[in-house]
Amino acid sequence: MILLQVIVSGLLMGSVYALFSSGLTLIWGMMNVVNFAHGDFVMLAMYVAFFAFTLLKVGPLLFVPLAAALLFMLGVVVYLGLVRHVVRGPPLAQILGTFGLALVLRYAAFWAFTANFVSLPDNLVGGTFDIGGLRIEASRLLGGVLALVITIGMHLILTRTALGSRLLAVSEDRSAAMLMGIRPDRMQAIAWGFGAASTGIAGALIALFFYISPTVGESLALVAFVVVCLGGFGSVPGALIAGLAIGVIEALSGYLIGAVYKDVLVYSLFLIVLWVRPRGLMGTS
Amino acid sequence: MSLLSVRNLSVRYGDLVGVSDVSLEVPEGGVVALLGSNGAGKTTTLNAIAGLVPTAGGSVTWQGADITGRPAFAVVGLGLALSPEGWRLFVQQTVEQNLRLGATVLADRKRLPVLLDRVFTLFPRLAERRRQRAGTLSGGERQMLAMGRALMSDPKLLMLDEPSLGLAPAVVETMYETLGRLRGEGLTLLLAEQAVELALEVADYAYVLQTGRTVLDGTAAKLADDEDVRRIYLGLETE
Amino acid sequence: MKHWPIALAGFVAIAAWPLLVHDVFLQRVGALVLLAAISASAWNLIGGYAGQVSVGHSIYFGIGAYAALTLYTELGWPPIAGAPIGMVVSMLIAVVIGTPTFRLRGHYFSMATIAAAELARILASNWPLVGAAVGLMGPPRPRSVADLSFISPVPYHYLFLAALVALLGLTWAMQRSRMGYYLAAIRGGDRAASSLGVPVLRYKLYALLLSAAFTSLAGSLYAVMVGFIDPESALGILISVKMVIVAALGGAGTLFGPLVGAIILVPLEETTNALYGGSGTGITFIIYGAIIVFVARFQPGGIAEIWRKLTERRPTRVS
Amino acid sequence: MFLEARGIIKAFGSFRAVDGADLDVTEGEIVGLIGPNGAGKSTFFNCLAGDTQPTAGTIRFLDRDVTNATPEDHARFGLARTFQVPVTFEDMSVADNVMVGAFLRHRARAAARRVAEEVLDFTGLSALADTPARSLGTPGRKRLEIARALATEPRLLLLDEALAGLTPAEIRLAIELVRRIKARGITIVIVEHIMEVILSLAERAVVFHQGKVIAQGAPRAVVDDPAVVSAYLGHHMKRVRV
């Protein structure tokens, strides 16, 4: 029973991982750009949620969309102002560009909000459910389910709508997309917006049950990188499966061999997978 | 007045010469063939007209307006569609998605189902495979899809780059029959082709390119009898 | 080496620095510049010359630092004795990490190096032998000169200068040898390099071995000077990032680029830290970040690129 | 046999770019690989150069099986190549680019330097030795690639469209260079789009069409071969009035 409890909470966390990884995988897959500031996007979204709640007194119903909107704008600005230019440069420039951005965001938060951990009140979303003996915190349930819905929604947008089709067209063949009358730069700015917005939603949801600090993005980003590498670059379903798997593995290893070693296990697994399958578990060559 | 008029076009890739002096006229409703061997500059010419590669000199005039240097996404909206070399399909997406992408610039979205129907009537095979990924199609089907996709923007002028390349003879026949039908519907065509005989059968007028220049032009009937065509193609007696 | 007079003047200035300034803060900055230059120059061997952007070099830095202080805490040896051991261990780890990851391209390689370094940090944080999350202390007071424990930064300045000169001398010789040409070819493109008979994987590994050894040395020297390390200060991801930034700012893949980068960034960091005190690290990294965003966006070749453009005779377009 | 390729097949999914091609090269000759777009000659070339491994078939060079050898092994065995789109080492000078090749057989810098200087002189690049490769134009890059390959002291040189995009004057210079390379005793296999080049340069032309060799022989005879004419001019050969 306890094991089941652990697995369920792993799945709920995993679906949040899946959501914030899907933004990263979208950008990575579309442009072969790694956003090293991804974790800091999550961090900013968490602070958006926190301040929306403490200053504006609004609940998740409002602060989740707010975080999505703000992060969408951030994504577009970052693409137009920085990424669009560094992708043309050497690989080192890409890494430096987004890493530099990460530092600026992280330490601007540090400077503005101090290093103190803050968190939203536990009871912001309901208490705890008891489903057939399984105890599930409402905040985690909300976060997990919503994340799952949004990840699947994002996949549907990409595969079932004209916009998604155009986004994919640009990543498949930029010139051919132009021949269709598609403006590649506009599509990629939108992709960055979407990627960042989904990250924003994920961050706001995580804020419901996770501590908030300027450096929280660092470890979360690593999880996202692992998820994306395992799931295959550019694959939202891959991110979903890998995200759930990582969530469960973390929860199980935390329960079975101790919390500190769960990261060790995840990173080791990641390295082993890269070693065996250099393009990820579900990646295509 | 010509629908499309290209004057002294030159394109350079860095310092490589893509084409150095190409001039051609495409009259409304006509079928013009661009002939020449590998590397003569046919593809470069079409790509430059479509706005895929920047021009280094010369001009492209469309319905009397200078469109030289417009980016490809703007050119297609004017009514010039290109089915590019190698098809350049979106292989991860379905046949229908590819076709719908072709209609991106369509202002009147109500026309979309009509155009889709037209393509499916022209190419019943595509209708059968509309939910299949483009990557799973055979060579002939890919060519149909590339052509269909270009038609979805409802162009006045359709440019085709090597429609017969790599296709089995029977498929080529069908392809050219379709071109004949499109022509009958009043579509203007500009095709680059290595298969001379075929191209001259369907075209009214042809230009022959050699090392980036238009070296010969004339009515299809005249060129079909021209000894120079063979010389240019096979590089005989060039000294 | 057209510009050797400038290099010589620079060297003299750096050598004379602690004698010219009497302010301990400035002397300390001088020593820290050299230390940062050592680790960035070491990273430069693989990240700059061979073009393999590792963002996990903290692992080698940490091994060096931990080797120094673990030998002291466990066996009572002078910390500097850990330096050679750290270098050997680092090279072994480099083989373990390099062999599989060099097959990865571009970002995958960078990601894998980050993961490996992060793994090391977590392990160190939970390993009682190396002080776990608390860290390790060096000798509280010098037992002999071998402990290299000085109050004044000046001895460190010359210790670091010697190490840096050795490293740059080695880099210079490497640059001129077959290996230097092969690494430059690899950076120019694996495919073309191997078509000319360059054993790409093997040379990447050679570069990583050298790089890891000297990064480890930098870690040991850091531990010797500061006398205290913990997982964050010896294995944190920022250690790796700083190496990349310092080298890239000055010019990755150039002999003096990392030194130039260190001369600009370290004083900046120390000054902002001094001005804004403990919480000032925020400001430091905001400036750091802004600089590298700026460099990536406008000057991806670093300062070396500007220098090259200034000094190079305008190339006439030739066919 | 100097170079011998037997039954080479290279498939990408269900599509066979090369579909059972054979090629024999004797020492000292210049062989031209020609064919219309998409005929498979470039893929075949890449199999010879070790850049890609054939799905089936064997390649032997100097009685050694090199079918699955790495590109660096090819270089070591004496099989050098140039690329269709030149991949010069941009950050290095022209001379240093050539040095990379020269280091293959000469470990010492001075010896490598001597080889490089000789090759630069031979290819007419001496005056540009200290120029950065990035400031070269494409004709210069193509020449530099040839120089770099020559510095590895090959027995066989594979040229991948070394003349495409050059002006007629540049083509004449390049043809002259290839002839002098042959005079040094180096065997040459050249893939070329431009028929004129093959006609004036190659001693033997091998014509590809749809992944197969459809004709080979003296270039002027080959272009009169009905199968070749049909491959180039189209399917309705019977009615072409020439």
Side-chain angles (χ1 to χ4, degrees):
Chain A
M1 199 60 202
I2 294 177
L3 213 56
L4 190 62
Q5 170 91 49
V6 168
I7 291 174
V8 168
S9 60
L11 282 172
L12 290 177
M13 192 65 202
S15 61
V16 179
Y17 286 165
L19 177 59
F20 73 64
S21 307
S22 58
L24 184 68
T25 204
L26 177 70
I27 289 164
W28 199 332
M30 264 197 78
M31 283 179 269
N32 195 24
V33 171
V34 182
N35 180 13
F36 282 100
H38 187 76
D40 303 283
F41 282 24
V42 179
M43 177 271 295
L44 285 183
M46 293 171 83
Y47 274 106
V48 169
F50 178 75
F51 285 113
F53 175 75
T54 52
L55 300 179
L56 306 174
K57 313 280 181 234
V58 297
L61 218 55
L62 278 173
F63 71 55
V64 171
L66 180 67
L70 288 176
L71 269 286
F72 184 93
M73 285 188 268
L74 178 69
V76 171
V77 168
V78 165
Y79 173 74
L80 293 177
L82 176 66
V83 174
R84 183 160 57 126
H85 306 281
V86 297
V87 288
R88 304 199 188 109
L92 186 59
Q94 293 184 28
I95 294 178
L96 282 180
T98 55
F99 240 125
L101 181 67
L103 286 183
V104 171
L105 296 179
R106 188 176 307 166
Y107 289 96
F110 197 89
W111 181 63
F113 314 139
T114 78
N116 296 336
F117 286 25
V118 293
S119 59
L120 290 171
D122 283 342
N123 58 357
L124 192 58
V125 180
T128 305
F129 288 107
D130 194 321
I131 306 166
L134 282 179
R135 292 172 54 78
I136 299 169
E137 290 167 51
S139 59
R140 283 180 187 260
L141 187 66
L142 176 73
V145 171
L146 206 53
L148 200 64
V149 169
I150 293 170
T151 310
I152 292 170
M154 201 156 122
H155 177 62
L156 291 177
I157 287 178
L158 280 178
T159 53
R160 299 285 155 85
T161 67
L163 179 67
S165 172
R166 285 173 202 171
L167 287 170
L168 291 178
V170 171
S171 78
E172 266 198 70
D173 189 331
R174 198 183 160 91
S175 301
M178 280 173 73
L179 283 178
M180 305 297 107
I182 298 167
R183 290 166 181 260
D185 250 2
R186 186 179 289 177
M187 286 300 128
Q188 293 187 321
I190 292 174
W192 268 81
F194 265 137
S198 68
T199 310
I201 297 172
L205 292 177
I206 297 171
L208 291 174
F209 54 84
F210 211 76
Y211 71 91
I212 306 167
S213 87
T215 51
V216 67
E218 202 179 304
S219 53
L220 289 176
L222 277 164
V223 174
F225 290 141
V226 173
V227 167
V228 170
C229 285
L230 292 183
F233 304 86
S235 164
V236 172
L240 181 58
I241 295 166
L244 293 174
I246 295 292
V248 171
I249 290 169
E250 268 195 14
L252 277 179
S253 58
Y255 170 70
L256 295 173
I257 54 177
V260 293
Y261 291 107
K262 67 176 201 207
D263 288 340
V264 173
L265 197 77
V266 170
Y267 296 145
S268 312
L269 188 78
F270 169 60
L271 285 173
I272 291 167
V273 169
L274 271 186
W275 191 11
V276 182
R277 301 233 12 202
R279 287 189 164 266
L281 267 187
M282 281 154 262
T284 49
S285 56
Chain B
M1 189 184 62
S2 292
L3 192 59
L4 174 77
S5 153
V6 175
R7 301 250 161 78
N8 310 108
L9 180 76
S10 78
V11 175
R12 304 180 71 80
Y13 296 109
D15 45 9
L16 279 188
V17 183
V19 298
S20 52
D21 185 7
V22 169
S23 296
L24 57 91
E25 303 283 330
V26 182
E28 182 142 21
V31 177
V32 175
L34 210 49
L35 308 175
S37 58
N38 276 335
K42 303 187 297 290
T43 296
T44 306
T45 303
L46 293 189
N47 285 349
I49 296 170
L52 270 186
V53 296
T55 52
S59 67
V60 180
T61 312
W62 171 251
Q63 294 184 305
D66 184 12
I67 60 160
T68 321
R70 296 250 189 120
F73 54 75
V75 170
V76 59
L78 301 173
L80 296 81
L82 169 66
S83 164
E85 184 187 30
W87 312 313
R88 308 289 285 267
L89 300 176
F90 304 108
V91 292
Q92 313 271 1
Q93 305 195 41
T94 65
V95 167
E96 183 170 337
Q97 279 176 316
N98 270 273
L99 291 174
R100 285 177 179 274
L101 281 167
T104 303
V105 295
L106 208 62
D108 179 8
R109 303 307 290 180
K110 285 202 275 307
R111 294 264 299 139
L112 201 145
V114 180
L115 289 166
L116 208 54
D117 266 354
R118 173 168 103 162
V119 171
F120 286 146
T121 318
L122 277 175
F123 307 110
R125 287 287 279 281
L126 294 183
E128 290 164 26
R129 307 197 186 283
R130 67 193 287 173
R131 308 239 171 272
Q132 228 169 290
R133 280 192 185 207
T136 63
L137 299 183
S138 73
E141 290 161 350
R142 285 178 194 223
Q143 177 60 56
M144 292 174 199
L145 182 53
M147 214 151 112
R149 192 180 62 174
L151 285 173
M152 288 299 290
S153 66
D154 203 7
K156 286 198 182 65
L157 169 69
L158 175 62
M159 300 187 280
L160 296 164
D161 199 346
E162 304 259 9
S164 72
L165 182 70
L167 302 184
V171 182
V172 175
E173 294 279 352
T174 333
M175 200 82 232
Y176 269 78
E177 274 162 27
T178 312
L179 288 183
R181 279 174 67 185
L182 287 169
R183 180 197 184 166
E185 290 172 20
L187 186 68
T188 311
L189 292 168
L190 172 59
L191 39 126
E193 194 41 286
Q194 269 191 85
V196 190
E197 175 71 10
L198 264 173
L200 291 180
E201 257 174 43
V202 70
D204 324 309
Y205 202 86
Y207 293 85
V208 180
L209 300 193
Q210 189 181 22
T211 55
R213 290 163 207 279
T214 26
V215 290
L216 205 66
D217 66 285
T219 59
K222 179 176 156 271
L223 286 183
D225 288 326
D226 196 320
E227 184 65 29
D228 281 344
V229 174
R230 182 169 191 267
R231 176 181 65 77
I232 288 162
Y233 264 79
L234 294 176
L236 294 169
E237 301 127 41
T238 47
E239 291 302 310
Chain C
M1 283 281 94
K2 281 175 296 189
H3 305 290
W4 67 267
I6 300 173
L8 188 68
F11 176 78
V12 169
I14 291 168
W17 175 259
L19 309 176
L20 296 174
V21 298
H22 298 287
D23 183 77
V24 176
F25 173 76
L26 291 180
Q27 290 178 336
R28 192 179 128 83
V29 167
L32 291 176
V33 164
L34 293 176
L35 188 66
I38 296 170
S39 48
S41 300
W43 174 88
N44 196 29
L45 288 166
I46 183 73
Y49 284 102
Q52 308 300 305
V53 183
S54 159
V55 198
H57 256 46
S58 61
I59 193 169
Y60 310 113
F61 188 89
I63 289 170
Y66 274 101
L69 293 193
T70 309
L71 279 189
Y72 163 72
T73 54
E74 290 301 307
L75 305 171
W77 290 10
I80 194 69
I85 293 169
M87 288 166 87
V88 170
V89 174
S90 286
M91 287 165 86
L92 291 176
I93 296 288
V95 173
V96 173
I97 293 179
T99 313
T101 50
F102 279 141
R103 297 186 309 148
L104 306 173
R105 286 183 181 278
H107 302 313
Y108 299 70
F109 174 77
S110 302
M111 300 300 333
T113 54
I114 293 180
E118 201 53 18
L119 199 56
R121 188 184 63 82
I122 298 168
L123 287 174
S125 310
N126 294 289
W127 191 10
L129 179 76
V130 298
V134 179
L136 295 173
M137 294 280 281
R141 62 181 61 83
R143 299 163 301 173
S144 75
V145 175
D147 275 346
L148 299 176
S149 176
F150 311 106
I151 293 160
S152 160
V154 180
Y156 295 113
H157 186 90
Y158 290 103
L159 180 66
F160 298 167
L161 185 60
L164 182 64
V165 167
L167 173 55
L168 291 186
L170 189 77
T171 307
W172 181 75
M174 187 281 294
Q175 208 181 343
R176 289 168 49 84
S177 73
R178 168 148 88 177
M179 177 159 164
Y181 283 81
Y182 276 11
L183 293 186
I186 289 167
R187 186 177 51 173
D190 283 5
R191 189 159 167 243
S194 58
S195 85
L196 296 170
V198 176
V200 173
L201 283 180
R202 203 163 81 223
Y203 273 84
K204 281 182 184 171
L205 198 58
Y206 291 163
L208 181 61
L209 286 177
L210 266 183
S211 176
F214 276 92
T215 308
S216 172
L217 177 64
S220 300
L221 293 176
Y222 171 81
V224 167
M225 177 176 173
V226 175
F228 165 73
I229 53 168
D230 64 11
E232 209 45 58
S233 68
L235 281 164
I237 191 166
L238 281 177
I239 306 280
S240 311
V241 176
K242 260 203 255 183
M243 284 182 224
V244 184
I245 294 171
V246 166
L249 176 66
T254 62
L255 186 59
F256 293 116
L259 176 59
V260 171
I263 289 173
I264 294 168
L265 283 177
V266 174
L268 188 80
E269 178 180 357
E270 293 302 316
T271 311
T272 46
N273 278 350
L275 287 178
Y276 296 97
S279 64
T281 47
I283 304 278
T284 308
F285 285 111
I286 294 171
I287 297 171
Y288 245 80
I291 290 174
I292 59 171
V293 167
F294 191 81
V295 168
R297 166 71 176 81
F298 296 102
Q299 195 60 50
I303 289 165
E305 182 82 7
I306 302 173
W307 170 257
R308 198 177 50 74
K309 279 187 186 140
L310 288 177
T311 56
E312 201 171 73
R313 275 176 300 136
R314 281 196 85 73
T316 38
R317 189 96 184 147
V318 281
S319 56
Chain D
M1 186 43 78
F2 186 69
L3 177 76
E4 176 186 277
R6 283 281 170 274
I8 301 303
I9 293 172
K10 178 71 190 182
F12 299 100
S14 61
F15 171 65
R16 286 183 170 187
V18 181
D19 191 8
D22 297 330
L23 178 72
D24 288 311
V25 178
T26 36
E27 184 151 23
E29 67 174 339
I30 301 182
V31 178
L33 303 187
I34 57 175
N37 267 340
K41 54 192 189 303
S42 282
T43 311
F44 180 72
F45 181 93
N46 282 330
C47 291
L48 292 185
D51 217 37
T52 173
Q53 285 166 1
T55 316
T58 55
I59 302 168
R60 298 181 67 78
F61 176 61
L62 293 172
D63 295 321
R64 197 190 255 123
D65 187 337
V66 296
T67 317
N68 296 310
T70 60
E72 62 194 72
D73 283 336
H74 278 75
R76 213 168 315 125
F77 298 154
L79 216 152
R81 60 96 41 103
T82 65
F83 293 90
Q84 193 171 348
V85 179
V87 230
T88 48
F89 305 129
E90 299 287 278
D91 295 345
M92 303 170 91
S93 70
V94 167
D96 286 349
N97 264 271
V98 180
M99 289 278 282
V100 172
F103 270 117
L104 178 64
R105 315 237 182 252
H106 305 275
R107 207 195 159 80
R109 179 187 167 83
R113 182 93 215 173
R114 270 197 304 280
V115 171
E117 274 165 9
E118 194 275 322
V119 170
L120 286 169
D121 190 44
F122 177 79
T123 50
L125 286 168
S126 290
L128 304 173
D130 295 323
T131 338
R134 104 175 66 76
S135 63
L136 285 186
T138 310
R141 277 161 207 250
K142 294 204 164 193
R143 190 161 279 248
L144 175 54
E145 277 216 326
I146 294 177
R148 215 169 51 179
L150 286 178
T152 66
E153 299 172 20
R155 302 275 301 273
L156 171 64
L157 181 59
L158 301 166
L159 298 175
D160 193 357
E161 297 200 16
L163 294 82
L166 304 187
T167 64
E170 289 159 354
I171 290 180
R172 268 195 298 282
L173 282 173
I175 288 180
E176 203 258 331
L177 175 62
V178 175
R179 291 212 174 106
R180 284 193 295 120
I181 294 170
K182 176 195 149 73
R184 284 171 79 128
I186 297 171
T187 312
I188 292 162
V189 173
I190 178 166
V191 166
E192 194 52 73
H193 259 124
I194 311 169
M195 186 73 91
E196 292 94 314
V197 171
I198 297 297
L199 285 175
S200 62
L201 197 55
E203 289 148 357
R204 196 154 59 88
V206 176
V207 187
F208 275 75
H209 187 52
Q210 297 186 332
K212 293 188 169 70
V213 174
I214 56 163
Q216 54 178 311
R220 269 161 213 286
V222 157
V223 291
D224 276 331
D225 186 317
V228 176
V229 175
S230 157
Y232 267 85
L233 290 185
H235 306 278
H236 294 232
M237 191 42 225
K238 298 146 284 189
R239 283 178 284 152
V240 174
R241 291 146 287 189
V242 285

